Amino acid sequence: MNTAKRWAPNTQRQRGYSLLEILIAVLVLSIGLLGLAGLQTTSLQSNQSAAQVSQATFLAQDILDRMRANPGAARQGNYDIGFGTSSSDMGNSPLARADLREWLQQMEAALPGTTGDGCNGDCGAAIQVNGDGRAEITLRWVDERRPEDDDQRVTSFRTVSRI
């Protein structure tokens, strides 16, 4: 009998991971997390923009309700204003003047981009009421979260309704 040991290949299974495998896994995970962070930033920006449009909708409905409560003054044009109007220059009717002053203050608080330099005086609110009671309300503001060269930086919301 031959008692000499024969050389045999190592039949043990490899255990653990190599350093290269771990580095590749960390790289793939890092790329995925960077993509997720970019997606989160875009999501936050879109949510902020959607919240501003919702505020503009509420503000438009608010002034429409105020005009419906005072239809005579609305049809006479006492609620008509143009872009760049501040809360100090109001219509002739004392009630319309008070409504517009309060409403413009609410708009400036809810939509911070309605005042300032971003629109070159073309931001804020414009209200036009025809003699037949058709009211057109346009709100325009600067979305300050967007870059300055973005075409959608100035956002506009327009609604038309009957009083």
PDB file of all heavy atoms in Angstrom, residues 25-65:
ATOM      1  N   ALA A  25     -19.896  46.879  -5.138  1.00  0.00           N
ATOM      2  CA  ALA A  25     -21.223  46.991  -4.527  1.00  0.00           C
ATOM      3  C   ALA A  25     -21.444  48.380  -3.934  1.00  0.00           C
ATOM      4  O   ALA A  25     -22.523  48.969  -4.093  1.00  0.00           O
ATOM      5  CB  ALA A  25     -21.390  45.921  -3.452  1.00  0.00           C
ATOM      6  N   VAL A  26     -20.433  48.940  -3.292  1.00  0.00           N
ATOM      7  CA  VAL A  26     -20.546  50.282  -2.722  1.00  0.00           C
ATOM      8  C   VAL A  26     -20.707  51.314  -3.836  1.00  0.00           C
ATOM      9  O   VAL A  26     -21.490  52.265  -3.717  1.00  0.00           O
ATOM     10  CB  VAL A  26     -19.319  50.594  -1.831  1.00  0.00           C
ATOM     11  CG1 VAL A  26     -19.251  52.065  -1.475  1.00  0.00           C
ATOM     12  CG2 VAL A  26     -19.366  49.743  -0.569  1.00  0.00           C
ATOM     13  N   LEU A  27     -19.995  51.155  -4.939  1.00  0.00           N
ATOM     14  CA  LEU A  27     -20.104  52.075  -6.071  1.00  0.00           C
ATOM     15  C   LEU A  27     -21.516  52.051  -6.662  1.00  0.00           C
ATOM     16  O   LEU A  27     -22.123  53.105  -6.904  1.00  0.00           O
ATOM     17  CB  LEU A  27     -19.070  51.721  -7.147  1.00  0.00           C
ATOM     18  CG  LEU A  27     -19.131  52.566  -8.414  1.00  0.00           C
ATOM     19  CD1 LEU A  27     -18.684  53.992  -8.108  1.00  0.00           C
ATOM     20  CD2 LEU A  27     -18.277  51.954  -9.500  1.00  0.00           C
ATOM     21  N   VAL A  28     -22.064  50.873  -6.873  1.00  0.00           N
ATOM     22  CA  VAL A  28     -23.419  50.745  -7.430  1.00  0.00           C
ATOM     23  C   VAL A  28     -24.435  51.364  -6.471  1.00  0.00           C
ATOM     24  O   VAL A  28     -25.349  52.094  -6.883  1.00  0.00           O
ATOM     25  CB  VAL A  28     -23.750  49.263  -7.728  1.00  0.00           C
ATOM     26  CG1 VAL A  28     -25.210  49.088  -8.053  1.00  0.00           C
ATOM     27  CG2 VAL A  28     -22.881  48.758  -8.870  1.00  0.00           C
ATOM     28  N   LEU A  29     -24.296  51.109  -5.189  1.00  0.00           N
ATOM     29  CA  LEU A  29     -25.200  51.679  -4.193  1.00  0.00           C
ATOM     30  C   LEU A  29     -25.094  53.202  -4.160  1.00  0.00           C
ATOM     31  O   LEU A  29     -26.110  53.898  -4.078  1.00  0.00           O
ATOM     32  CB  LEU A  29     -24.880  51.094  -2.812  1.00  0.00           C
ATOM     33  CG  LEU A  29     -25.755  51.567  -1.667  1.00  0.00           C
ATOM     34  CD1 LEU A  29     -27.183  51.069  -1.861  1.00  0.00           C
ATOM     35  CD2 LEU A  29     -25.205  51.082  -0.344  1.00  0.00           C
ATOM     36  N   SER A  30     -23.891  53.737  -4.269  1.00  0.00           N
ATOM     37  CA  SER A  30     -23.691  55.188  -4.250  1.00  0.00           C
ATOM     38  C   SER A  30     -24.352  55.857  -5.446  1.00  0.00           C
ATOM     39  O   SER A  30     -24.979  56.904  -5.309  1.00  0.00           O
ATOM     40  CB  SER A  30     -22.205  55.525  -4.246  1.00  0.00           C
ATOM     41  OG  SER A  30     -21.588  55.010  -3.103  1.00  0.00           O
ATOM     42  N   ILE A  31     -24.200  55.263  -6.609  1.00  0.00           N
ATOM     43  CA  ILE A  31     -24.831  55.829  -7.811  1.00  0.00           C
ATOM     44  C   ILE A  31     -26.350  55.830  -7.652  1.00  0.00           C
ATOM     45  O   ILE A  31     -27.024  56.808  -7.992  1.00  0.00           O
ATOM     46  CB  ILE A  31     -24.386  55.062  -9.070  1.00  0.00           C
ATOM     47  CG1 ILE A  31     -22.909  55.339  -9.345  1.00  0.00           C
ATOM     48  CG2 ILE A  31     -25.240  55.445 -10.274  1.00  0.00           C
ATOM     49  CD1 ILE A  31     -22.319  54.480 -10.440  1.00  0.00           C
ATOM     50  N   GLY A  32     -26.894  54.778  -7.130  1.00  0.00           N
ATOM     51  CA  GLY A  32     -28.338  54.716  -6.893  1.00  0.00           C
ATOM     52  C   GLY A  32     -28.810  55.759  -5.892  1.00  0.00           C
ATOM     53  O   GLY A  32     -29.840  56.407  -6.082  1.00  0.00           O
ATOM     54  N   LEU A  33     -28.055  55.963  -4.823  1.00  0.00           N
ATOM     55  CA  LEU A  33     -28.433  56.952  -3.819  1.00  0.00           C
ATOM     56  C   LEU A  33     -28.323  58.372  -4.360  1.00  0.00           C
ATOM     57  O   LEU A  33     -29.143  59.236  -4.017  1.00  0.00           O
ATOM     58  CB  LEU A  33     -27.578  56.787  -2.566  1.00  0.00           C
ATOM     59  CG  LEU A  33     -27.871  55.541  -1.733  1.00  0.00           C
ATOM     60  CD1 LEU A  33     -26.899  55.432  -0.573  1.00  0.00           C
ATOM     61  CD2 LEU A  33     -29.302  55.544  -1.231  1.00  0.00           C
ATOM     62  N   LEU A  34     -27.331  58.643  -5.207  1.00  0.00           N
ATOM     63  CA  LEU A  34     -27.229  59.963  -5.827  1.00  0.00           C
ATOM     64  C   LEU A  34     -28.425  60.245  -6.739  1.00  0.00           C
ATOM     65  O   LEU A  34     -28.957  61.346  -6.764  1.00  0.00           O
ATOM     66  CB  LEU A  34     -25.920  60.088  -6.611  1.00  0.00           C
ATOM     67  CG  LEU A  34     -24.660  60.280  -5.784  1.00  0.00           C
ATOM     68  CD1 LEU A  34     -23.427  60.244  -6.683  1.00  0.00           C
ATOM     69  CD2 LEU A  34     -24.722  61.595  -5.029  1.00  0.00           C
ATOM     70  N   GLY A  35     -28.836  59.254  -7.490  1.00  0.00           N
ATOM     71  CA  GLY A  35     -30.022  59.406  -8.329  1.00  0.00           C
ATOM     72  C   GLY A  35     -31.264  59.658  -7.496  1.00  0.00           C
ATOM     73  O   GLY A  35     -32.114  60.481  -7.837  1.00  0.00           O
ATOM     74  N   LEU A  36     -31.380  58.967  -6.391  1.00  0.00           N
ATOM     75  CA  LEU A  36     -32.518  59.141  -5.490  1.00  0.00           C
ATOM     76  C   LEU A  36     -32.524  60.543  -4.879  1.00  0.00           C
ATOM     77  O   LEU A  36     -33.580  61.154  -4.746  1.00  0.00           O
ATOM     78  CB  LEU A  36     -32.474  58.079  -4.399  1.00  0.00           C
ATOM     79  CG  LEU A  36     -33.690  57.984  -3.489  1.00  0.00           C
ATOM     80  CD1 LEU A  36     -34.918  57.609  -4.301  1.00  0.00           C
ATOM     81  CD2 LEU A  36     -33.441  56.944  -2.411  1.00  0.00           C
ATOM     82  N   ALA A  37     -31.356  61.065  -4.524  1.00  0.00           N
ATOM     83  CA  ALA A  37     -31.273  62.417  -3.966  1.00  0.00           C
ATOM     84  C   ALA A  37     -31.705  63.459  -5.001  1.00  0.00           C
ATOM     85  O   ALA A  37     -32.409  64.417  -4.671  1.00  0.00           O
ATOM     86  CB  ALA A  37     -29.853  62.698  -3.493  1.00  0.00           C
ATOM     87  N   GLY A  38     -31.300  63.283  -6.256  1.00  0.00           N
ATOM     88  CA  GLY A  38     -31.729  64.196  -7.318  1.00  0.00           C
ATOM     89  C   GLY A  38     -33.226  64.143  -7.533  1.00  0.00           C
ATOM     90  O   GLY A  38     -33.880  65.169  -7.742  1.00  0.00           O
ATOM     91  N   LEU A  39     -33.783  62.961  -7.461  1.00  0.00           N
ATOM     92  CA  LEU A  39     -35.228  62.793  -7.606  1.00  0.00           C
ATOM     93  C   LEU A  39     -35.972  63.468  -6.463  1.00  0.00           C
ATOM     94  O   LEU A  39     -37.022  64.089  -6.667  1.00  0.00           O
ATOM     95  CB  LEU A  39     -35.554  61.297  -7.646  1.00  0.00           C
ATOM     96  CG  LEU A  39     -36.893  60.878  -8.196  1.00  0.00           C
ATOM     97  CD1 LEU A  39     -37.016  61.285  -9.643  1.00  0.00           C
ATOM     98  CD2 LEU A  39     -37.041  59.374  -8.070  1.00  0.00           C
ATOM     99  N   GLN A  40     -35.432  63.368  -5.265  1.00  0.00           N
ATOM    100  CA  GLN A  40     -36.044  64.002  -4.100  1.00  0.00           C
ATOM    101  C   GLN A  40     -36.052  65.519  -4.251  1.00  0.00           C
ATOM    102  O   GLN A  40     -37.031  66.177  -3.929  1.00  0.00           O
ATOM    103  CB  GLN A  40     -35.278  63.594  -2.830  1.00  0.00           C
ATOM    104  CG  GLN A  40     -35.834  64.169  -1.567  1.00  0.00           C
ATOM    105  CD  GLN A  40     -37.150  63.550  -1.170  1.00  0.00           C
ATOM    106  OE1 GLN A  40     -37.522  62.487  -1.636  1.00  0.00           O
ATOM    107  NE2 GLN A  40     -37.871  64.233  -0.309  1.00  0.00           N
ATOM    108  N   THR A  41     -34.970  66.091  -4.757  1.00  0.00           N
ATOM    109  CA  THR A  41     -34.894  67.540  -4.963  1.00  0.00           C
ATOM    110  C   THR A  41     -35.939  67.995  -5.974  1.00  0.00           C
ATOM    111  O   THR A  41     -36.634  68.990  -5.759  1.00  0.00           O
ATOM    112  CB  THR A  41     -33.484  67.925  -5.450  1.00  0.00           C
ATOM    113  OG1 THR A  41     -32.535  67.465  -4.493  1.00  0.00           O
ATOM    114  CG2 THR A  41     -33.348  69.409  -5.641  1.00  0.00           C
ATOM    115  N   THR A  42     -36.058  67.281  -7.062  1.00  0.00           N
ATOM    116  CA  THR A  42     -37.059  67.610  -8.078  1.00  0.00           C
ATOM    117  C   THR A  42     -38.473  67.486  -7.515  1.00  0.00           C
ATOM    118  O   THR A  42     -39.336  68.318  -7.793  1.00  0.00           O
ATOM    119  CB  THR A  42     -36.895  66.694  -9.302  1.00  0.00           C
ATOM    120  OG1 THR A  42     -35.556  66.815  -9.787  1.00  0.00           O
ATOM    121  CG2 THR A  42     -37.861  67.060 -10.402  1.00  0.00           C
ATOM    122  N   SER A  43     -38.695  66.479  -6.713  1.00  0.00           N
ATOM    123  CA  SER A  43     -40.007  66.279  -6.099  1.00  0.00           C
ATOM    124  C   SER A  43     -40.369  67.437  -5.168  1.00  0.00           C
ATOM    125  O   SER A  43     -41.497  67.928  -5.181  1.00  0.00           O
ATOM    126  CB  SER A  43     -40.013  64.959  -5.335  1.00  0.00           C
ATOM    127  OG  SER A  43     -41.201  64.800  -4.614  1.00  0.00           O
ATOM    128  N   LEU A  44     -39.414  67.878  -4.366  1.00  0.00           N
ATOM    129  CA  LEU A  44     -39.675  69.005  -3.468  1.00  0.00           C
ATOM    130  C   LEU A  44     -39.990  70.276  -4.246  1.00  0.00           C
ATOM    131  O   LEU A  44     -40.895  71.040  -3.877  1.00  0.00           O
ATOM    132  CB  LEU A  44     -38.473  69.236  -2.550  1.00  0.00           C
ATOM    133  CG  LEU A  44     -38.287  68.226  -1.429  1.00  0.00           C
ATOM    134  CD1 LEU A  44     -36.961  68.472  -0.713  1.00  0.00           C
ATOM    135  CD2 LEU A  44     -39.435  68.287  -0.450  1.00  0.00           C
ATOM    136  N   GLN A  45     -39.279  70.501  -5.334  1.00  0.00           N
ATOM    137  CA  GLN A  45     -39.522  71.674  -6.161  1.00  0.00           C
ATOM    138  C   GLN A  45     -40.921  71.618  -6.786  1.00  0.00           C
ATOM    139  O   GLN A  45     -41.641  72.615  -6.795  1.00  0.00           O
ATOM    140  CB  GLN A  45     -38.451  71.767  -7.241  1.00  0.00           C
ATOM    141  CG  GLN A  45     -38.530  73.008  -8.087  1.00  0.00           C
ATOM    142  CD  GLN A  45     -37.433  73.031  -9.130  1.00  0.00           C
ATOM    143  OE1 GLN A  45     -37.009  71.985  -9.617  1.00  0.00           O
ATOM    144  NE2 GLN A  45     -36.974  74.206  -9.488  1.00  0.00           N
ATOM    145  N   SER A  46     -41.306  70.466  -7.269  1.00  0.00           N
ATOM    146  CA  SER A  46     -42.631  70.313  -7.874  1.00  0.00           C
ATOM    147  C   SER A  46     -43.731  70.471  -6.839  1.00  0.00           C
ATOM    148  O   SER A  46     -44.782  71.063  -7.121  1.00  0.00           O
ATOM    149  CB  SER A  46     -42.739  68.953  -8.555  1.00  0.00           C
ATOM    150  OG  SER A  46     -41.830  68.866  -9.619  1.00  0.00           O
ATOM    151  N   ASN A  47     -43.514  69.955  -5.636  1.00  0.00           N
ATOM    152  CA  ASN A  47     -44.507  70.116  -4.575  1.00  0.00           C
ATOM    153  C   ASN A  47     -44.677  71.574  -4.199  1.00  0.00           C
ATOM    154  O   ASN A  47     -45.799  72.031  -3.959  1.00  0.00           O
ATOM    155  CB  ASN A  47     -44.107  69.305  -3.340  1.00  0.00           C
ATOM    156  CG  ASN A  47     -44.395  67.836  -3.498  1.00  0.00           C
ATOM    157  OD1 ASN A  47     -45.157  67.426  -4.359  1.00  0.00           O
ATOM    158  ND2 ASN A  47     -43.765  67.024  -2.673  1.00  0.00           N
ATOM    159  N   GLN A  48     -43.586  72.321  -4.133  1.00  0.00           N
ATOM    160  CA  GLN A  48     -43.658  73.744  -3.813  1.00  0.00           C
ATOM    161  C   GLN A  48     -44.425  74.488  -4.907  1.00  0.00           C
ATOM    162  O   GLN A  48     -45.264  75.331  -4.618  1.00  0.00           O
ATOM    163  CB  GLN A  48     -42.254  74.328  -3.662  1.00  0.00           C
ATOM    164  CG  GLN A  48     -42.218  75.813  -3.405  1.00  0.00           C
ATOM    165  CD  GLN A  48     -42.734  76.186  -2.042  1.00  0.00           C
ATOM    166  OE1 GLN A  48     -42.744  75.372  -1.132  1.00  0.00           O
ATOM    167  NE2 GLN A  48     -43.179  77.404  -1.895  1.00  0.00           N
ATOM    168  N   SER A  49     -44.155  74.180  -6.152  1.00  0.00           N
ATOM    169  CA  SER A  49     -44.861  74.830  -7.262  1.00  0.00           C
ATOM    170  C   SER A  49     -46.350  74.496  -7.233  1.00  0.00           C
ATOM    171  O   SER A  49     -47.195  75.369  -7.453  1.00  0.00           O
ATOM    172  CB  SER A  49     -44.255  74.405  -8.595  1.00  0.00           C
ATOM    173  OG  SER A  49     -42.917  74.814  -8.674  1.00  0.00           O
ATOM    174  N   ALA A  50     -46.682  73.244  -6.952  1.00  0.00           N
ATOM    175  CA  ALA A  50     -48.095  72.841  -6.864  1.00  0.00           C
ATOM    176  C   ALA A  50     -48.794  73.540  -5.709  1.00  0.00           C
ATOM    177  O   ALA A  50     -49.964  73.937  -5.828  1.00  0.00           O
ATOM    178  CB  ALA A  50     -48.200  71.328  -6.708  1.00  0.00           C
ATOM    179  N   ALA A  51     -48.105  73.721  -4.595  1.00  0.00           N
ATOM    180  CA  ALA A  51     -48.692  74.424  -3.455  1.00  0.00           C
ATOM    181  C   ALA A  51     -48.976  75.882  -3.811  1.00  0.00           C
ATOM    182  O   ALA A  51     -50.007  76.441  -3.414  1.00  0.00           O
ATOM    183  CB  ALA A  51     -47.764  74.337  -2.245  1.00  0.00           C
ATOM    184  N   GLN A  52     -48.092  76.503  -4.577  1.00  0.00           N
ATOM    185  CA  GLN A  52     -48.320  77.886  -4.986  1.00  0.00           C
ATOM    186  C   GLN A  52     -49.512  78.002  -5.928  1.00  0.00           C
ATOM    187  O   GLN A  52     -50.306  78.939  -5.826  1.00  0.00           O
ATOM    188  CB  GLN A  52     -47.061  78.458  -5.637  1.00  0.00           C
ATOM    189  CG  GLN A  52     -45.953  78.717  -4.649  1.00  0.00           C
ATOM    190  CD  GLN A  52     -44.689  79.231  -5.310  1.00  0.00           C
ATOM    191  OE1 GLN A  52     -44.466  79.043  -6.506  1.00  0.00           O
ATOM    192  NE2 GLN A  52     -43.848  79.880  -4.527  1.00  0.00           N
ATOM    193  N   VAL A  53     -49.669  77.063  -6.837  1.00  0.00           N
ATOM    194  CA  VAL A  53     -50.825  77.080  -7.737  1.00  0.00           C
ATOM    195  C   VAL A  53     -52.111  76.866  -6.934  1.00  0.00           C
ATOM    196  O   VAL A  53     -53.137  77.503  -7.200  1.00  0.00           O
ATOM    197  CB  VAL A  53     -50.669  76.022  -8.857  1.00  0.00           C
ATOM    198  CG1 VAL A  53     -51.943  75.889  -9.663  1.00  0.00           C
ATOM    199  CG2 VAL A  53     -49.511  76.400  -9.769  1.00  0.00           C
ATOM    200  N   SER A  54     -52.072  76.008  -5.932  1.00  0.00           N
ATOM    201  CA  SER A  54     -53.242  75.812  -5.064  1.00  0.00           C
ATOM    202  C   SER A  54     -53.587  77.095  -4.324  1.00  0.00           C
ATOM    203  O   SER A  54     -54.767  77.461  -4.217  1.00  0.00           O
ATOM    204  CB  SER A  54     -52.985  74.697  -4.052  1.00  0.00           C
ATOM    205  OG  SER A  54     -52.859  73.465  -4.686  1.00  0.00           O
ATOM    206  N   GLN A  55     -52.568  77.795  -3.819  1.00  0.00           N
ATOM    207  CA  GLN A  55     -52.815  79.073  -3.151  1.00  0.00           C
ATOM    208  C   GLN A  55     -53.437  80.083  -4.117  1.00  0.00           C
ATOM    209  O   GLN A  55     -54.341  80.831  -3.750  1.00  0.00           O
ATOM    210  CB  GLN A  55     -51.507  79.634  -2.571  1.00  0.00           C
ATOM    211  CG  GLN A  55     -51.020  78.926  -1.349  1.00  0.00           C
ATOM    212  CD  GLN A  55     -51.969  79.084  -0.181  1.00  0.00           C
ATOM    213  OE1 GLN A  55     -52.584  80.123   0.020  1.00  0.00           O
ATOM    214  NE2 GLN A  55     -52.109  78.027   0.586  1.00  0.00           N
ATOM    215  N   ALA A  56     -52.957  80.114  -5.354  1.00  0.00           N
ATOM    216  CA  ALA A  56     -53.512  81.032  -6.354  1.00  0.00           C
ATOM    217  C   ALA A  56     -54.976  80.704  -6.629  1.00  0.00           C
ATOM    218  O   ALA A  56     -55.807  81.604  -6.782  1.00  0.00           O
ATOM    219  CB  ALA A  56     -52.692  80.958  -7.642  1.00  0.00           C
ATOM    220  N   THR A  57     -55.313  79.413  -6.659  1.00  0.00           N
ATOM    221  CA  THR A  57     -56.700  79.007  -6.867  1.00  0.00           C
ATOM    222  C   THR A  57     -57.584  79.477  -5.722  1.00  0.00           C
ATOM    223  O   THR A  57     -58.671  80.035  -5.945  1.00  0.00           O
ATOM    224  CB  THR A  57     -56.783  77.473  -6.984  1.00  0.00           C
ATOM    225  OG1 THR A  57     -55.930  77.041  -8.039  1.00  0.00           O
ATOM    226  CG2 THR A  57     -58.192  77.011  -7.271  1.00  0.00           C
ATOM    227  N   PHE A  58     -57.123  79.288  -4.495  1.00  0.00           N
ATOM    228  CA  PHE A  58     -57.896  79.739  -3.331  1.00  0.00           C
ATOM    229  C   PHE A  58     -58.068  81.258  -3.338  1.00  0.00           C
ATOM    230  O   PHE A  58     -59.144  81.771  -3.031  1.00  0.00           O
ATOM    231  CB  PHE A  58     -57.224  79.304  -2.028  1.00  0.00           C
ATOM    232  CG  PHE A  58     -57.208  77.818  -1.815  1.00  0.00           C
ATOM    233  CD1 PHE A  58     -56.071  77.207  -1.322  1.00  0.00           C
ATOM    234  CD2 PHE A  58     -58.311  77.029  -2.099  1.00  0.00           C
ATOM    235  CE1 PHE A  58     -56.035  75.833  -1.125  1.00  0.00           C
ATOM    236  CE2 PHE A  58     -58.286  75.663  -1.910  1.00  0.00           C
ATOM    237  CZ  PHE A  58     -57.151  75.060  -1.416  1.00  0.00           C
ATOM    238  N   LEU A  59     -57.005  81.963  -3.688  1.00  0.00           N
ATOM    239  CA  LEU A  59     -57.082  83.429  -3.725  1.00  0.00           C
ATOM    240  C   LEU A  59     -58.069  83.907  -4.793  1.00  0.00           C
ATOM    241  O   LEU A  59     -58.836  84.843  -4.558  1.00  0.00           O
ATOM    242  CB  LEU A  59     -55.695  84.013  -3.990  1.00  0.00           C
ATOM    243  CG  LEU A  59     -54.718  83.950  -2.820  1.00  0.00           C
ATOM    244  CD1 LEU A  59     -53.298  84.197  -3.299  1.00  0.00           C
ATOM    245  CD2 LEU A  59     -55.109  84.956  -1.752  1.00  0.00           C
ATOM    246  N   ALA A  60     -58.050  83.273  -5.955  1.00  0.00           N
ATOM    247  CA  ALA A  60     -58.985  83.660  -7.021  1.00  0.00           C
ATOM    248  C   ALA A  60     -60.433  83.410  -6.588  1.00  0.00           C
ATOM    249  O   ALA A  60     -61.316  84.253  -6.812  1.00  0.00           O
ATOM    250  CB  ALA A  60     -58.667  82.904  -8.300  1.00  0.00           C
ATOM    251  N   GLN A  61     -60.681  82.284  -5.946  1.00  0.00           N
ATOM    252  CA  GLN A  61     -62.035  81.998  -5.468  1.00  0.00           C
ATOM    253  C   GLN A  61     -62.451  82.980  -4.382  1.00  0.00           C
ATOM    254  O   GLN A  61     -63.609  83.397  -4.306  1.00  0.00           O
ATOM    255  CB  GLN A  61     -62.125  80.558  -4.950  1.00  0.00           C
ATOM    256  CG  GLN A  61     -62.063  79.516  -6.045  1.00  0.00           C
ATOM    257  CD  GLN A  61     -63.149  79.698  -7.089  1.00  0.00           C
ATOM    258  OE1 GLN A  61     -64.306  79.949  -6.763  1.00  0.00           O
ATOM    259  NE2 GLN A  61     -62.778  79.599  -8.345  1.00  0.00           N
ATOM    260  N   ASP A  62     -61.505  83.381  -3.544  1.00  0.00           N
ATOM    261  CA  ASP A  62     -61.799  84.334  -2.472  1.00  0.00           C
ATOM    262  C   ASP A  62     -62.241  85.678  -3.035  1.00  0.00           C
ATOM    263  O   ASP A  62     -63.259  86.232  -2.605  1.00  0.00           O
ATOM    264  CB  ASP A  62     -60.569  84.500  -1.576  1.00  0.00           C
ATOM    265  CG  ASP A  62     -60.809  85.470  -0.434  1.00  0.00           C
ATOM    266  OD1 ASP A  62     -61.924  85.486   0.135  1.00  0.00           O
ATOM    267  OD2 ASP A  62     -59.864  86.217  -0.089  1.00  0.00           O
ATOM    268  N   ILE A  63     -61.509  86.214  -4.010  1.00  0.00           N
ATOM    269  CA  ILE A  63     -61.891  87.515  -4.554  1.00  0.00           C
ATOM    270  C   ILE A  63     -63.183  87.408  -5.363  1.00  0.00           C
ATOM    271  O   ILE A  63     -63.988  88.342  -5.380  1.00  0.00           O
ATOM    272  CB  ILE A  63     -60.739  88.171  -5.361  1.00  0.00           C
ATOM    273  CG1 ILE A  63     -61.012  89.663  -5.592  1.00  0.00           C
ATOM    274  CG2 ILE A  63     -60.508  87.464  -6.671  1.00  0.00           C
ATOM    275  CD1 ILE A  63     -61.062  90.498  -4.347  1.00  0.00           C
ATOM    276  N   LEU A  64     -63.400  86.262  -6.004  1.00  0.00           N
ATOM    277  CA  LEU A  64     -64.676  86.070  -6.707  1.00  0.00           C
ATOM    278  C   LEU A  64     -65.843  86.090  -5.722  1.00  0.00           C
ATOM    279  O   LEU A  64     -66.889  86.695  -5.998  1.00  0.00           O
ATOM    280  CB  LEU A  64     -64.667  84.760  -7.490  1.00  0.00           C
ATOM    281  CG  LEU A  64     -63.929  84.778  -8.822  1.00  0.00           C
ATOM    282  CD1 LEU A  64     -63.773  83.365  -9.372  1.00  0.00           C
ATOM    283  CD2 LEU A  64     -64.653  85.660  -9.826  1.00  0.00           C
ATOM    284  N   ASP A  65     -65.677  85.442  -4.592  1.00  0.00           N
ATOM    285  CA  ASP A  65     -66.735  85.459  -3.572  1.00  0.00           C
ATOM    286  C   ASP A  65     -66.969  86.873  -3.040  1.00  0.00           C
ATOM    287  O   ASP A  65     -68.120  87.274  -2.807  1.00  0.00           O
ATOM    288  CB  ASP A  65     -66.380  84.519  -2.407  1.00  0.00           C
ATOM    289  CG  ASP A  65     -66.475  83.052  -2.787  1.00  0.00           C
ATOM    290  OD1 ASP A  65     -67.130  82.745  -3.815  1.00  0.00           O
ATOM    291  OD2 ASP A  65     -65.892  82.220  -2.068  1.00  0.00           O
TER     292      ASP A  65
END
